[in-house]
């Protein structure tokens, strides 16, 4: 392509993009109106011709460089050895290659070159780790590799220091946007920062890198560890991705995807996505002790996630306010397609002084849930500890129900009772439930009563569990 035609194409594409998309494409791969890093005063733009090393455009560390892919050469110079990474944001398929000052493909200490092709779609952020670069001049060669890639914009950002992947240089991730990253022998952590607009669930999903697995971590803005999950036991599963969920309060957080193996012999690329679902009834991490317990509202289900590695166990703590003498049912139920909560241990209940309190019963109910019945002897705040047997994450909900004193009445067909339990006699058409697992029936003809035990009153129509008769058949 001649220089004149390249300039004309670039001008036309710039005018069209400005007219159709008044918001710039930022370094996170999303059109964003208020991103200051891409304002004209803080960005550099390509200047044609820049097809070879003698004409290369200079990119500055920390300053976005915006261009239109065809065949472009960019350059930067390091005055001293530095750790470097290049962030390339585009919706086109672009081939990239790093060269040294002699024009030779630069090779990492393990002998690999720094090259690849970005995926189409998006816009998608591709992070290109260059590891530790000696002082000197380097060139970045970009070429439009896909049909229709010419004329589309791209952004390049050179990041130096702290592996280019630490807290200080964390990728600012947009919720729902896909990102490309990699682990290597010199860089085993990928950091991103994310802002949650409300309390709820943050879901972390990533593709499976070859020969490794992730340790997922979330930190607050003070860089204190909030939550972690070791996905080691999911490495051999049939699932195509790793995924984990964590309940968090509104605010800013860092997400670290750490390689689970200490020795990485080659570059291991992967993609990841962070998504958020708002909820006012979700546990808030950290909640691994009574001081951090998530408050429960009586009768309202609270969603939670729990998982552990083989070297440490996660615990979830919740708290609720109880009245002396009242009965409370603590229900653990499965979520997100789980059949049951068999991987969760029975709950432990503590008072404010840390004393373990007795529950009168523990039940595994027919619908895959678990129930503990607790009756406090004193008013106050009580704490529930939930732990897990599973090495994978378990998605569950927890509900504390205050026992309802009012006795509900169930209407049943007398013919149904006669068919299932009696062959003669007439019966009333009402059965009363006393709240403790017993249905009381009355034989209207004989003026006698009996008691039948059932799991729960609202499941009575499914069938009785056992029958203890306190009257005689006629």
């Amino acid at each position: 392509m001649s220089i004149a035609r390249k300039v004309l194409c670039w001008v036309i594409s710039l005018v069209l993009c400005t007219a159709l998309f008044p918001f710039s494409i930022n370094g996170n791969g999303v059109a964003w109106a208020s991103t200051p890093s891409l304002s004209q005063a803080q960005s550099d733009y390509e200047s044609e011709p820049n097809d070879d090393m003698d004409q290369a455009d200079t990119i500055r560390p920390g300053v976005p460089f915006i261009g239109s892919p065809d065949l472009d050469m960019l350059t930067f110079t390091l005055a001293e050895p530095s750790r470097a990474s290049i962030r390339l944001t585009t919706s086109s398929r672009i081939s990239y290659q790093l060269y040294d000052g002699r024009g030779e493909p630069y090779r990492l200490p393990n002998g690999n070159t720094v090259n690849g092709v970005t995926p189409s779609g998006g816009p998608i952020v591709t992070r290109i780790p260059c590891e530790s670069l000696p002082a000197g001049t380097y060139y970045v060669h970009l070429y439009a590799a896909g049909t229709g890639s010419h004329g589309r914009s791209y952004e390049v950002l050179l990041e130096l220091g702290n592996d280019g992947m630490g807290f200080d240089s964390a990728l600012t991730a947009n919720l729902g946007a896909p990102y490309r990253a990699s682990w290597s022998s010199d860089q085993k952590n990928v950091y991103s920062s994310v802002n949650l607009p409300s309390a709820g669930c943050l879901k972390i999903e990533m593709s499976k890198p070859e020969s490794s697995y992730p340790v997922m971590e979330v930190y607050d803005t003070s860089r204190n560890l909030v939550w972690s999950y070791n996905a080691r036991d999911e490495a051999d599963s049939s699932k195509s991705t790793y995924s984990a969920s964590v309940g968090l309060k509104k605010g800013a957080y860092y997400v670290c995807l750490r390689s689970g193996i200490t020795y990485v012999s080659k570059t291991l690329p992967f993609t990841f996505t962070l998504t958020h679902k708002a909820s006012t009834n979700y546990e808030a991490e950290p909640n691994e002790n009574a001081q951090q317990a998530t408050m429960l509202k009586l009768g309202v289900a609270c969603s939670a996630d729990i998982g552990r590695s083989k070297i440490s166990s996660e615990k979830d703590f919740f708290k609720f306010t109880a009245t002396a003498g009242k009965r409370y049912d603590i229900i653990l139920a499965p979520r997100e397609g789980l059949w049951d909560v068999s991987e969760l241990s029975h709950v432990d209940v503590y008072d404010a002084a840390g004393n373990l309190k007795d529950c009168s019963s523990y039940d595994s109910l027919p619908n895959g849930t678990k129930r503990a019945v607790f009756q406090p002897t004193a008013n106050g705040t009580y704490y529930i500890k939930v732990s897990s047997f599973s090495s994978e994450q378990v998605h569950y909900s927890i509900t504390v129900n205050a026992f309802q004193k009012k006795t509900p009445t169930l209407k049943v067909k007398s013919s149904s009772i006669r068919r299932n339990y009696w062959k003669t006699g007439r019966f009333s058409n009402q059965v009363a439930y006393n709240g403790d697992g017993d249905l009381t029936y009355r034989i209207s003809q004989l003026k006698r009563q009996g008691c039948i035990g059932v799991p729960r009153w609202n499941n009575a129509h499914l069938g009785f569990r056992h029958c203890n008769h306190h009257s005689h058949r006629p």
Side-chain angles (χ1 to χ4, degrees):
M1 178 184 298
S2 67
I3 294 175
R5 290 184 62 188
K6 288 182 66 177
V7 172
L8 179 61
C9 288
W10 183 84
V11 171
I12 292 174
S13 64
L14 182 60
V15 171
L16 289 175
C17 287
T18 303
L20 297 176
F21 304 101
F23 301 150
S24 298
I25 295 178
N26 71 4
N28 306 318
V30 174
W32 205 252
S34 59
T35 305
S37 63
L38 288 187
S39 64
Q40 292 186 0
Q42 297 180 357
S43 299
D44 292 335
Y45 294 84
E46 74 166 330
S47 58
E48 295 286 359
N50 61 349
D51 294 353
D52 55 43
M53 294 180 180
D54 293 335
Q55 301 169 327
D57 282 320
T58 299
I59 55 176
R60 298 180 292 163
V63 179
F65 179 91
I66 299 174
S68 179
D70 37 45
L71 194 161
D72 293 341
M73 190 70 72
L74 314 178
T75 184
F76 63 93
T77 299
L78 301 179
E80 58 184 8
S82 302
R83 295 185 184 277
S85 69
I86 298 171
R87 194 171 76 187
L88 176 58
T89 303
T90 181
S91 58
S92 307
R93 285 180 57 82
I94 295 181
S95 173
Y96 59 86
Q97 173 93 49
L98 180 66
Y99 292 88
D100 61 22
R102 300 171 299 172
E104 299 292 332
Y106 178 77
R107 293 188 177 276
L108 301 171
N110 60 10
N112 293 334
T113 58
V114 180
N115 59 27
V117 179
T118 65
S120 58
I124 295 177
V125 176
T126 299
R127 226 156 170 172
I128 308 168
C130 304
E131 303 187 8
S132 296
L133 295 179
T137 298
Y138 297 88
Y139 296 91
V140 181
H141 177 263
L142 302 177
Y143 178 73
T147 303
S149 296
H150 291 272
R152 295 188 180 183
S153 63
Y154 66 81
E155 179 188 279
V156 169
L157 183 65
L158 174 64
E159 300 173 319
L160 301 179
N162 198 23
D163 254 356
M165 304 296 263
F167 286 110
D168 294 329
S169 56
L171 166 72
T172 302
N174 283 305
L175 295 170
Y179 295 93
R180 296 186 71 192
S182 62
W183 295 322
S184 65
S185 59
D186 216 23
Q187 193 276 121
K188 304 181 184 69
N189 307 315
V190 172
Y191 285 86
S192 58
S193 63
V194 64
N195 187 54
L196 304 185
S198 62
C201 170
L202 175 67
K203 184 175 182 180
I204 306 169
E205 188 168 16
M206 63 175 287
S207 61
K208 286 189 170 182
E210 180 186 353
S211 306
S212 188
Y213 59 88
V215 176
M216 302 177 180
E217 298 172 336
V218 174
Y219 295 82
D220 60 22
T221 53
S222 298
R223 303 181 182 181
N224 299 312
L225 181 64
V226 172
W227 168 89
S228 67
Y229 174 62
N230 190 323
R232 170 171 41 199
D233 286 354
E234 293 187 40
D236 296 326
S237 73
S238 59
K239 295 185 294 185
S240 61
T241 61
Y242 294 106
S243 66
S245 301
V246 52
L248 296 169
K249 298 177 183 178
K250 173 183 177 180
Y253 295 90
Y254 291 102
V255 176
C256 177
L257 301 177
R258 190 184 307 279
S259 172
I261 60 175
T262 56
Y263 177 71
V264 179
S265 60
K266 60 180 180 180
T267 301
L268 304 177
F270 59 87
T271 61
F272 70 94
T273 306
L274 306 178
T275 56
H276 176 253
K277 183 178 181 180
S279 175
T280 57
N281 298 306
Y282 215 104
E283 68 167 336
E285 294 283 358
N287 64 344
E288 293 194 349
N289 55 54
Q291 290 73 33
Q292 301 170 330
T294 298
M295 189 70 187
L296 297 177
K297 303 174 184 176
L298 293 180
V300 179
C302 178
S303 298
D305 312 283
I306 189 170
R308 67 181 181 92
S309 69
K310 294 180 179 178
I311 57 174
S312 63
S313 177
E314 188 195 5
K315 300 176 289 294
D316 287 343
F317 272 82
F318 304 88
K319 61 183 178 181
F320 68 101
T321 302
T323 302
K326 284 191 174 182
R327 168 182 154 177
Y328 298 88
D329 289 354
I330 304 170
I331 307 294
L332 301 180
R335 291 174 41 241
E336 297 191 8
L338 293 182
W339 288 101
D340 56 38
V341 288
S342 59
E343 296 290 351
L344 299 181
S345 62
H346 287 306
V347 301
D348 293 323
V349 179
Y350 299 85
D351 61 18
N355 300 310
L356 180 64
K357 311 302 291 184
D358 290 330
C359 292
S360 60
S361 66
Y362 294 96
D363 302 312
S364 293
L365 303 180
N367 54 354
T369 66
K370 287 186 176 183
R371 177 183 65 179
V373 178
F374 174 63
Q375 191 165 12
T377 57
N379 297 342
T381 300
Y382 290 86
Y383 299 84
I384 303 170
K385 182 182 75 172
V386 179
S387 54
S388 172
F389 301 117
S390 177
S391 56
E392 297 187 15
Q393 208 174 38
V394 177
H395 309 289
Y396 70 99
S397 68
I398 180 170
T399 310
V400 177
N401 293 322
F403 174 65
Q404 191 176 19
K405 285 187 175 181
K406 182 179 179 181
T407 301
T409 298
L410 302 179
K411 291 184 178 181
V412 297
K413 294 180 179 179
S414 59
S415 59
S416 175
I417 295 178
R418 184 167 61 250
R419 184 176 65 250
N420 291 326
Y421 296 98
W422 302 91
K423 293 183 179 178
T424 60
R426 297 177 60 188
F427 297 83
S428 67
N429 64 350
Q430 289 189 342
V431 179
Y433 177 62
N434 67 3
D436 290 319
D438 293 327
L439 283 177
T440 301
Y441 61 85
R442 183 175 181 273
I443 304 173
S444 58
Q445 183 182 25
L446 301 177
K447 297 182 180 181
R448 295 182 179 180
Q449 299 187 96
C451 181
I452 302 174
V454 297
R456 292 196 309 178
W457 75 267
N458 59 353
N459 283 340
H461 66 281
L462 298 178
F464 297 111
R465 184 173 56 188
H466 61 272
C467 180
N468 295 320
H469 303 300
H470 299 292
S471 62
H472 299 284
R473 291 177 58 182

